[in-house]
Amino acid sequence: MTPPGRRTQQQRSEATTADLLSAARHLFAADGYATTSLDAVCERAGVSRGALYHHFRNKEALFLAVYEREQRALAAAIAEEFGRHLDPWEGLIAGCRVFLVRAHEPAVQRITIIDAPSALGWDAVRAVREDCRHMMRIGVSRAVRAGSIADRQVEALASLLHGALCEGAVAVACAPDPAATLEAVLAELVRLLDALAATPRA
């Protein structure tokens, strides 16, 4: 039994990992993947270089862990918003809005939109995004079953909508005026999704 007040080896390991991820997220968001050094991460986390390598084999592995955590947080926010709506289609629209708004946050945008594709490669990014694609498939499928939209090829429609969302987030990130572009993308998103409704929306 571990004496009161003393942490187990697993608890210490988990705490070190959390410190490294927190430090890395801050630096990746502020300075970008290419500029951030592992020495800077270790210094901010208060751990040795050896401790970092015990948990992550290199900077790419550390960035992947940060990116995965960002995507899990984004997926959780989308799922929470979807659950607030009785109409699955309204929930899907709201979830799409959450995706675009959260992706506009500076830290999320830098890590997930700007740096992830170049740091990790398309295959890794696509694999990590699977949770969001899966939720899109669920949302479209439930909307079809509820009669909110006509019967569709769910997989194809979900893929198209998810791709449009991701490209919309990239457009916002690369725009000279991101805030104005976000509002334009959100407005067109609503028009696009309303056009798929089984009955016209007011």
Side-chain angles (χ1 to χ4, degrees):
M1 178 179 294
T2 304
R6 294 187 60 183
R7 295 187 296 180
T8 65
Q9 178 61 36
Q10 180 178 349
Q11 289 171 328
R12 290 194 297 272
S13 177
E14 290 172 351
T16 299
T17 300
D19 289 341
L20 285 167
L21 289 175
S22 178
R25 182 189 190 274
H26 174 86
L27 292 169
F28 286 142
D31 303 328
Y33 175 79
T35 304
T36 297
S37 70
L38 290 181
D39 286 336
V41 173
C42 290
E43 181 179 355
R44 184 174 182 85
V47 304
S48 68
R49 188 87 175 229
L52 184 149
Y53 282 125
H54 179 72
H55 293 84
F56 303 100
R57 68 181 181 277
N58 54 28
K59 187 167 77 167
E60 181 179 328
L62 177 61
F63 183 83
L64 175 60
V66 171
Y67 176 55
E68 288 173 337
R69 193 168 69 164
E70 292 298 310
Q71 286 296 125
R72 286 194 298 271
L74 180 59
I78 294 170
E80 180 180 0
E81 183 62 31
F82 181 85
R84 296 178 187 273
H85 299 266
L86 294 178
D87 182 344
W89 194 238
E90 293 294 339
L92 183 62
I93 293 174
C96 290
R97 288 182 63 89
V98 166
F99 175 90
L100 288 171
V101 171
R102 286 288 295 269
H104 177 56
E105 295 174 9
V108 177
Q109 185 181 85
R110 180 74 198 213
I111 293 168
T112 67
I113 304 298
I114 298 174
D115 281 351
S118 59
L120 301 174
W122 171 244
D123 288 343
V125 167
R126 195 169 192 276
V128 174
R129 287 178 178 173
E130 179 55 35
D131 282 351
C132 287
R133 284 200 304 277
H134 180 62
M135 285 193 295
M136 179 67 80
R137 289 193 292 269
I138 291 174
V140 171
S141 178
R142 289 180 178 177
V144 168
R145 291 200 303 270
S148 300
I149 60 174
D151 191 14
R152 303 270 181 163
Q153 296 186 47
V154 171
E155 185 69 29
L157 180 57
S159 295
L160 286 170
L161 292 176
H162 182 262
L165 278 182
C166 292
E167 184 57 32
V170 171
V172 172
C174 297
D177 187 346
T181 304
L182 174 63
E183 290 305 313
V185 170
L186 287 171
E188 291 306 319
L189 169 70
V190 172
R191 294 187 182 99
L192 173 64
L193 295 179
D194 280 350
L196 296 172
T199 57
R201 302 261 177 181

